[in-house]
Amino acid sequence: MLAQLEALIALEELGTMTRAAARLRVTQSAISKRIAGLEHEMGGRIIERTGRAVRVTALGRRLAAHARP
């Protein structure tokens, strides 16, 4: 779950899967899978895709806020 939360925080801060993947040194596919797993666990949408950019939903922002130190 830690990797999933790291992906969420990176997406929130950077705004794209590409940038989040580069920061975490993984593939875009890995970021997408981590977010999908987190959405499944939380039972709701955490991000909204708009072309290449992503927007973190209210649920995602609350989750990210709790995950930060």
Side-chain angles (χ1 to χ4, degrees), residues 8 12 39 44-48 55-63:
L8 173 61
E12 183 180 41
E39 286 179 331
R45 301 294 298 168
I46 292 184
I47 64 166
E48 293 178 352
R55 187 181 74 77
V56 178
T57 65
L59 173 61
R61 287 191 302 275
R62 286 192 307 270
L63 184 58

Side-chain angles (χ1 to χ4, degrees), residues 18-69:
T18 301
R19 291 179 184 155
R23 175 186 281 180
L24 298 177
R25 297 184 177 145
V26 298
T27 64
Q28 288 176 271
S29 176
I31 296 293
S32 184
K33 287 177 184 177
R34 290 175 185 183
I35 295 299
L38 195 53
E39 286 179 331
H40 179 74
E41 286 183 38
M42 297 305 296
R45 301 294 298 168
I46 292 184
I47 64 166
E48 293 178 352
R49 291 170 174 87
T50 54
R52 292 184 182 185
V54 294
R55 187 181 74 77
V56 178
T57 65
L59 173 61
R61 287 191 302 275
R62 286 192 307 270
L63 184 58
H66 288 292
R68 287 190 173 94

